Every structure is written in structure tokens, then in C-alpha cells.
Amino acid sequence: MSTKEYELPHDAIGREIGIISPHEFGDSEGFIIYFTDGTSLEIEDDPDCCEVRWMHTDDDLDYYAGSTLMGVELRDGPTVDGACGEVEETMFLLITTNLGVVTIAAHNNHNGYYGGISPRYTFKEKI
């Protein structure tokens, strides 16, 4: 299986979505979009030292089965200062389809030294 990483998932645009599924990637949580042609798009954000990263959505992911991926966009969310110098950053990942938009909240809880949210997209082609 060949794998390509992109800042934006250009190879995935226009493909029919089979299912969008939460997925654990080692120390972080993300999502995989499985396309009906056997390809997939992994969305993850690896933590650095002293960070906890996770992604979640309240959207009904089953609704988007059979839709076409039209784009992916990141939008800034709130940053909240916590106790003892901890910080929780939030960013919204918007997956646009012809049936509407899936909103995924990406979180990074860190010690104030490390920080930022920068999801990595990995497009995997079928063999």
C-alpha cells in the first residue's frame, strides 16, 4: 500500500465516502475517512511531551455515508488557561461534503510550553 502525506488532502477531494470513523493512533485520537474505492484519509495530531491531544464529534457520522468529500478546513477555537499553567487549545476541523459539514473538535491540553494544533492528513491508496 502506498502512503502520501499532504498539508491538505487534495487526492481525497471528490471521492465517495463509505464511512467516517473515530480512530486511536498510538497516544492520540483522530479519524479515518474510508472511501468506497478502497482508499482512505487518516486525520491525526501527534502529541509532544507534556501534551494530551484528542478529537471528537457529536455529529451523526453514518449520515455522511455515500456523500462526496468536497474539502477540509481548519478554524481556530477557544483557548482556556487552566490551573498550574496548563492550557487547553481547541481548533475545529470542518469536513465539507455534498450533504453538509462534519465538525470535529481537536483539543490539545498542555503545560503552556508546548502547544498548537496541526492535524496531519495521510492519504492511503489501495494496492
Side-chain angles (χ1 to χ4, degrees):
M1 177 180 293
S2 63
T3 302
K4 297 179 183 178
E5 291 183 19
Y6 295 92
E7 286 185 26
L8 295 172
H10 298 292
D11 283 356
I13 303 299
R15 294 184 189 264
E16 183 179 334
I17 296 170
I19 190 167
I20 303 172
S21 178
H23 188 79
E24 289 190 26
F25 297 95
D27 294 335
S28 66
E29 297 174 2
F31 285 81
I32 298 179
I33 301 174
Y34 295 99
F35 298 104
T36 58
D37 65 1
T39 59
S40 63
L41 178 67
E42 296 179 353
I43 304 169
E44 63 177 308
D45 193 11
D46 294 327
D48 288 322
C49 175
C50 305
E51 292 182 322
V52 177
R53 294 177 184 239
W54 70 97
M55 294 183 192
H56 71 91
T57 185
D58 292 330
D59 291 351
D60 177 8
L61 298 178
D62 292 336
Y63 172 78
Y64 297 94
S67 66
T68 301
L69 180 65
M70 299 173 67
V72 177
E73 176 185 349
L74 289 172
R75 289 197 187 157
D76 290 333
T79 297
V80 178
D81 294 329
C84 302
E86 289 190 4
V87 176
E88 183 175 330
E89 294 177 271
T90 306
M91 184 167 256
F92 297 101
L93 178 74
L94 306 175
I95 300 172
T96 303
T97 75
N98 63 320
L99 294 180
V101 178
V102 177
T103 302
I104 296 173
H107 299 270
N108 182 1
N109 191 327
H110 56 87
N111 63 5
Y113 181 74
Y114 296 97
I117 298 173
S118 53
R120 181 176 68 228
Y121 309 101
T122 305
F123 180 76
K124 295 190 175 183
E125 298 175 355
K126 64 179 182 175
I127 298 177

